[in-house]
Each structure stands twice: as C-alpha cells, then as structure tokens.
C-alpha cells in the first residue's frame, strides 16, 4: 500500500512538471516585454523610445499576464496529459472540455441556489471570474482536481469501443460522455464543500505567513530534503500558484500565489517595489552560490591523483547549477555517500531564504543566473534590491565552502575524488560509450547509450513503463533488484539512482529528454 501510494505521488509530481515548467517561460517573456517599456532603459537608450518598440513591449507583457488568470485551465490540461497512460493529446483535449463544463455547471447551480454574489467587487467573497464565468474561487486547485479526474476517466475508458452504429462513440468520445456527469456532479458537490476547504487553505496560509521566518526556513529546508524522492515540487507549487504564497491586487486584478503576483508586478510600471510574497520563490541562493562553494571544497579535498578527474566532473555540474539552476548532478554526488552533507545543504538552503527576508531583498531568484539577470536587472535596484541578493549569495558561497571542506576533512567523507582505492571517480564517461557505440546496436541514439541503459535496468523485458521529468528518467520495473546502479553511473552518465519499490528514477540532468527518446527508440526496435 505504501509503495503504491509513493508511486502515485511520484507520477503526480512528474505530471505537475508539464504546466509548472511552461510558466517560467511566460515570466521571462514578460520581463523581456518590460525591457521595452522600462523608463530608465529608455533614457539610457533613446532610440528605443518610439511607439513601435514600446507598443511591442506592452503587447508582449500584457498578453502573457493573461496566463496568470487562467492557471486552472492550464493545470487541468497539463496534469491530464501528464497522467494519461496513452493517447495524451486526447486526454488534454478532454480536460479542456471538462473544465468548460465544470465552470458553467457550477455557475448555473450557484445561480439556481441563489449563492452567486451580485455586488460590484468579488474581493473577499470567495468567488471569482474564470474565463468570464463567476464561480467559487478554487484557484489552481480546480485545475489539479479536474486534471486528476480527467486522467482517471481517460485511462479507465479510452480503450472502450462499440460495434455497428455506436462505434463513433468509442474511445476518446466515450471518455467525454462518461466525464460529463462526473464533472457536473463535482461542480455541484464543490459548491457546497469548497468554502470549507477554502477556509482551511486560508487558515494554513495565515499560519505559515504568521510563523514568519520559522515557516520560511522549514519551507526552504523541506523543498531540498525531498529531492531524493522527486516530490519536492509538491512543496513549492502551492506557494507559487495558490493563496498560500500570498494574495495581492496588481493593476486592479486580484492575484494569488507568489509567482502569479510578481509576474504581474513585473509588467506593471506603477509598482515601485515587488511585494514580500516573492520570497517564496527565492530558492536560487544554493543553486547559484552555495553548491558552487561545495564543489570547490570537494575538488580541493579530492586526492591529488584524482583531482583532474574530479575537476572534469565538478566543473560541468557547477556550471549547470549556476547557469540553469539544475542542482541534482551535484546533490547526487554526495547525497548518498555523505548524507550529513545533504542535510546541511538543506538547512543552509532554508537559512538563505530567511536571510534574504531579513534584509528585505525582493529579487527574483528561483533558478539560475540567466533567469536572475533577465528578471531583476531590467527592473532596477529599487524594485528588486538585487545587489543584496548577490551579497547574500557570496556569503553562502563561503559558508558552503568552509562547512563542506571542514566536514569532509574531519569525518573523512567519501566525496568525489576521495573514494577508496580502486573505486570509480567519474560520474560520467562519454569515451566509454562512444567506443561501444562504434560496435553497438545501430538503433542507439548518436549520443545516448540506450542499450547499456536498458541492460543496466534489467533488460527490456524488465521494463514496464518509461517516462521522465525535468532531470530524471523514471521507469517502472518488474524486478527492481536487477538494476545495475554502478553501471548506470559509470557507463551512461547517470549521477544518481533512486529506487522506491518498482519505481526507479535515474538522474541524468538536462539531457534527460534525449535519454528518454533514445530508450524509447531502442525498446521499439
């Protein structure tokens, strides 16, 4: 039962990636649009002060802000696609239809029951407008619930077919037929019960915000601690896209969720300083600074004969963390061999958010340096106080460096380059599988040793399903005991392997999409 629950949670966490990873792109484009209307930039670069470029900036940022008011729909479609076992496009389309049915069914039922608020402003009433339809304000939770329900119905009935005159009602059409009464009943049910859940969510948000820096510290620490399980996305997503991360009116529109609020504030030139809710997305100190200090410490503490190999491993991992905010290649290099370091890393990550909050830093820093520059520099120092973010980051670089170096030395921790004689130093060896590629299976991807990956996972007959998230290849295996973890690390470029029952996650970092495609191709051949 526990294993089944964990597998379900991991599938859900993976499905959340589809909408969650698209939204930062909207934020970056909003920031770029803001560049063309930024008063200080126009003063410095006068030729940009013309109706064409200013109009382009206004249209770009203004059009993308509309995404923030339709997160329910985005999550409904994204999660349905992510959880669908087959025919994912049909699942997404069905989720869209189900969402439209739900909001209109709830509106009609509330009108019939006399519970629709009829005043000029819906603020504080627990109701909102969704795609022009007045319903209860369920926020992003509406999309999550409908996405899960749609995926369940889709997986249960997508293969249902009929004979003769009824055959046009099979497959995806039958899924929609079944979904309609389910969604209508859910709309009626939530008209009664959602106010209760709404009060719980608001109470939880008040408690967390009321606990101040203690709550912020626990949030930042837990977000890192759950990295090994792949469930850390379930910690920060509610704060980024629901009232747990704050409620703020921006440009006359009431928004909830840290990321929704600061995206809108980026595009609003009347906002002088970003609101405090931005702190819930200030998770980048450890990514841009802290783990770089850890890498320097691990390199310096490597055995002299292993320094060159350690450097070859740590430099790419550090650059990836600093530039893109992908930390798992570094974290998995010490997570299991030295768990105490991972615990300290989690504590320092939570502490960094507290320090930023104490200094009233309002810089946007959820990931790496590219995002940091695009978001903050155009907005100016007054609006974000970004130089203080850099200063705090440098302090944590030193903290990570000295703490990691000291503990590695005192406790003789077996970090990269300090393995026992004869142990593998490398996490990634392209040369090995490039040599195998010349003599290997012709169906293998040019850059990925798919045959070795499949063999190390126990063979094709041992693999039930293959999927991936942002950095991990996620597979369901019949016999997880057949996994050759050392081979995955030494011959395929994996930086870590996490097993939870039949669910096995192999960490590859940013190249995981190529790995997934190569494995799929190999299994199909």
């Amino acid at each position: 039962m526990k294993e089944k629950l964990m597998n379900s949670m991991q599938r859900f966490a993976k499905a959340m990636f589809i909408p969650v990873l698209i939204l930062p792109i909207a934020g970056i484009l909003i920031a770029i649009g803001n560049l063309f209307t930024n008063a200080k930039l126009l003063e410095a670069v006068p030729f940009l002060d013309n109706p064409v470029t200013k109009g382009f900036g206004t249209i770009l940022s203004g059009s993308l802000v509309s995404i923030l008011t339709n997160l329910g729909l985005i999550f409904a479609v994204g999660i349905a696609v992510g959880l669908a076992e087959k025919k994912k496009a049909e699942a997404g389309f069905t989720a869209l239809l189900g969402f439209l049915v739900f909001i209109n069914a709830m509106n009609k039922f509330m009108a019939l029951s006399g519970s629709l608020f009829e005043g000029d402003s819906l603020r504080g009433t627990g109701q909102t407008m969704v795609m022009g339809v007045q319903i209860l304000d369920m926020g992003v939770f509406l999309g999550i619930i409908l996405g899960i329900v749609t995926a369940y119905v889709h997986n249960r009935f997508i293969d249902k077919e009929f004979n003769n005159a009824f055959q046009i009602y099979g497959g995806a059409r039958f899924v929609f037929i079944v979904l309609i009464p389910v969604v209508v009943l859910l709309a009626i049910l939530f008209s009664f019960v959602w106010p209760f859940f709404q009060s719980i969510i608001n109470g939880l948000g008040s408690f967390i915000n009321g606990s101040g820096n203690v709550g912020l510290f626990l949030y930042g620490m837990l977000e890192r601690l759950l990295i090994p399980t792949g469930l850390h996305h379930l910690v920060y997503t509610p704060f980024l896209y629901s009232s747990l991360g704050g409620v703020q009116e921006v440009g006359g529109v009431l928004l909830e969720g840290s990321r929704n609020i600061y995206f809108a504030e980026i595009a609003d030139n009347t906002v002088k300083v970003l609101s405090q809710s931005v702190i819930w997305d200030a998770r980048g100190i450890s990514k841009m600074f802290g783990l770089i200090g850890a890498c320097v410490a691990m390199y310096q503490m490597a055995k002299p004969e292993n320094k060159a190999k350690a450097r070859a491993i740590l430099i790419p991992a550090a650059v990836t963390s600093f530039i893109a905010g992908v930390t798992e290649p570094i974290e998995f290099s010490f997570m299991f061999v030295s768990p105490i370091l991972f615990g300290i890393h989690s504590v320092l990550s939570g502490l960094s958010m507290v320090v930023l909050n104490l200094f009233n830093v309002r810089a946007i820093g959820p990931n790496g340096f590219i995002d940091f520059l695009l978001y903050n520099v155009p907005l100016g120092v007054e609006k974000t106080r970004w130089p203080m973010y850099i200063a705090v980051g440098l302090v944590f670089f030193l903290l990570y460096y000295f703490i990691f170096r000291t503990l590695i030395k005192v406790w003789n921790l077996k970090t990269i380059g300090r393995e026992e004689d004869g142990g593998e130093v490398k996490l990634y060896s392209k040369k090995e599988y490039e040599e195998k590629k010349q003599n290997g299976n012709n169906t293998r991807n040019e850059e990925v040793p798919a045959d070795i990956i499949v063999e190390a996972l126990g063979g094709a007959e041992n693999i039930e399903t293959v999927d991936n998230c942002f950095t991990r290849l996620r597979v369901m295996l019949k016999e997880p005991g057949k996994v050759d973890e050392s081979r995955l690390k030494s011959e395929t470029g994996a930086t870590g392997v996490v097993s939870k029952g039949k669910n096995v996650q192999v960490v590859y970092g940013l190249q995981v999409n190529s790995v997934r495609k190569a494995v799929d191709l190999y299994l199909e051949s």
Side-chain angles (χ1 to χ4, degrees):
M1 180 65 183
K2 181 180 179 181
E3 178 182 328
K4 185 176 181 180
L5 177 61
M6 179 60 69
N7 289 337
S8 298
M9 291 180 66
Q10 289 175 337
R11 283 190 63 208
F12 175 67
K14 182 267 300 180
M16 290 280 281
F17 263 111
I18 294 177
V20 166
L21 292 182
I22 287 295
L23 295 173
I25 297 175
I28 291 174
L29 291 175
I30 289 172
I32 292 174
N34 183 67
L35 280 173
F36 294 97
T37 59
N38 187 286
K40 294 183 179 178
L41 180 63
L42 296 181
E43 290 179 7
V45 189
F47 78 87
L48 291 177
D49 191 3
N50 64 81
V52 176
T53 56
K54 289 170 66 177
F56 170 77
T58 300
I59 293 172
L60 181 62
S61 58
S63 60
L64 288 165
V65 166
S66 63
I67 291 176
L68 309 181
T69 59
N70 292 289
L71 286 180
L73 176 60
I74 293 170
F75 272 78
V77 174
I79 289 175
V81 170
L83 292 177
E85 296 173 357
K86 59 180 71 173
K87 297 186 178 180
K88 292 179 177 289
E90 286 91 335
F93 180 63
T94 305
L96 168 62
L97 298 177
F99 187 89
L100 295 175
V101 171
F102 182 96
I103 60 175
N104 283 280
M106 176 175 276
N107 174 268
K108 298 303 181 185
F109 180 79
M110 292 177 67
L112 290 173
S113 61
S115 56
L116 280 180
F117 182 77
E118 298 180 355
D120 295 330
S121 175
L122 295 178
R123 182 168 188 175
T125 65
Q127 300 181 22
T128 190
M129 300 295 292
V130 176
M131 301 182 71
V133 180
Q134 184 177 334
I135 62 171
L136 289 175
D137 187 3
M138 296 179 66
V140 72
F141 296 106
L142 171 57
I144 293 173
I145 293 168
L146 289 181
I148 293 172
V149 170
T150 301
Y152 177 80
V153 175
H154 175 87
N155 291 335
R156 179 71 177 80
F157 296 105
I158 188 61
D159 292 325
K160 182 67 175 178
E161 298 293 345
F162 299 98
N163 297 322
N164 302 323
F166 293 100
Q167 53 186 301
I168 63 170
Y169 298 109
R173 290 167 292 280
F174 185 68
V175 171
F176 181 54
I177 292 172
V178 175
L179 188 65
I180 292 174
V182 172
V183 167
V184 170
L185 290 174
L186 280 176
I188 296 172
L189 175 65
F190 278 112
S191 297
F192 291 108
V193 304
W194 186 254
F196 171 72
F197 287 107
Q198 203 168 42
S199 64
I200 293 177
I201 294 170
N202 291 337
L204 181 59
S206 299
F207 171 76
I208 292 173
N209 289 313
S211 61
N213 290 318
V214 174
L216 186 60
F217 170 76
L218 293 174
Y219 164 84
M221 182 178 68
L222 187 61
E223 190 266 337
R224 288 293 92 187
L225 277 177
L226 287 178
I227 283 284
T229 68
L231 301 178
H232 53 296
H233 322 293
L234 303 185
V235 174
Y236 63 75
T237 299
F239 287 85
L240 300 188
Y241 303 110
S242 79
S243 57
L244 290 177
V247 178
Q248 188 83 16
E249 185 173 321
V250 183
V253 178
L254 190 65
L255 298 167
E256 56 183 38
S258 172
R259 188 167 284 178
N260 299 335
I261 293 170
Y262 75 68
F263 278 177
E265 290 176 334
I266 287 174
D268 192 336
N269 290 325
T270 64
V271 176
K272 300 303 180 184
V273 180
L274 295 182
S275 59
Q276 188 177 8
S277 62
V278 74
I279 196 65
W280 296 107
D281 208 14
R283 298 172 288 117
I285 290 291
S286 63
K287 301 176 182 180
M288 289 195 293
F289 300 98
L291 287 174
I292 312 305
C295 285
V296 174
M298 288 189 285
Y299 167 71
Q300 291 190 346
M301 295 308 295
K303 296 177 181 179
E305 66 271 21
N306 291 335
K307 281 188 179 291
K309 293 180 179 179
R311 183 170 61 245
I313 295 168
L314 291 171
I315 288 178
V319 170
T320 301
S321 179
F322 179 76
I323 296 296
V326 176
T327 61
E328 287 172 312
I330 300 176
E331 289 167 329
F332 274 80
S333 71
F334 62 81
M335 182 184 298
F336 299 112
V337 296
S338 306
I340 183 66
L341 293 181
F342 185 70
I344 290 171
H345 162 51
S346 301
V347 169
L348 289 175
S349 183
L351 184 61
S352 70
M353 298 182 70
V354 173
V355 173
L356 289 173
N357 195 42
L358 290 173
F359 283 98
N360 292 317
V361 180
R362 296 292 176 260
I364 302 167
N367 294 307
F369 196 62
I370 294 177
D371 288 358
F372 181 83
L373 288 178
L374 286 173
Y375 280 133
N376 297 289
V377 175
L379 295 178
V381 174
E382 180 185 358
K383 196 167 185 175
T384 63
R385 301 163 188 165
W386 63 263
M388 183 58 70
Y389 188 99
I390 300 291
V392 171
L394 293 175
V395 170
F396 274 84
F397 169 87
L398 295 175
L399 281 174
Y400 270 80
Y401 170 74
F402 284 113
I403 292 174
F404 270 60
R405 182 183 172 91
T406 300
L407 294 182
I408 291 171
K409 181 178 181 179
V410 171
W411 290 335
N412 191 28
L413 300 176
K414 303 302 180 183
T415 51
I416 293 175
R418 293 177 60 82
E419 296 84 358
E420 298 294 345
D421 293 340
E424 283 287 346
V425 176
K426 55 180 177 276
L427 296 177
Y428 177 78
S429 175
K430 187 173 182 177
K431 182 179 179 181
E432 287 184 357
Y433 71 75
E434 283 290 346
E435 292 173 352
K436 289 179 177 289
K437 183 173 64 178
Q438 296 175 5
N439 303 315
N441 193 307
N442 290 331
T443 61
R444 190 189 315 171
N445 181 282
E446 291 184 356
E447 294 295 331
V448 179
D451 55 345
I452 300 177
I453 294 173
V454 172
E455 290 172 12
L457 291 171
E461 66 282 355
N462 193 41
I463 299 175
E464 293 184 344
T465 62
V466 179
D467 215 321
N468 72 279
C469 61
F470 191 42
T471 57
R472 307 181 188 194
L473 184 72
R474 295 172 180 248
V475 293
M476 289 292 292
L477 303 179
K478 296 176 182 176
E479 298 183 50
K482 291 184 177 182
V483 174
D484 189 341
E485 182 173 339
S486 62
R487 194 176 184 195
L488 286 169
K489 290 182 178 180
S490 64
E491 298 184 32
T492 76
T495 57
V497 179
V498 180
S499 297
K500 297 291 183 181
K502 293 184 177 182
N503 188 303
V504 176
Q505 303 172 22
V506 189
V507 182
Y508 284 104
L510 293 176
Q511 69 269 29
V512 71
N513 284 328
S514 298
V515 174
R516 159 76 187 283
K517 290 177 182 177
V519 170
D520 283 343
L521 180 63
Y522 182 82
L523 292 174
E524 292 170 0
S525 63

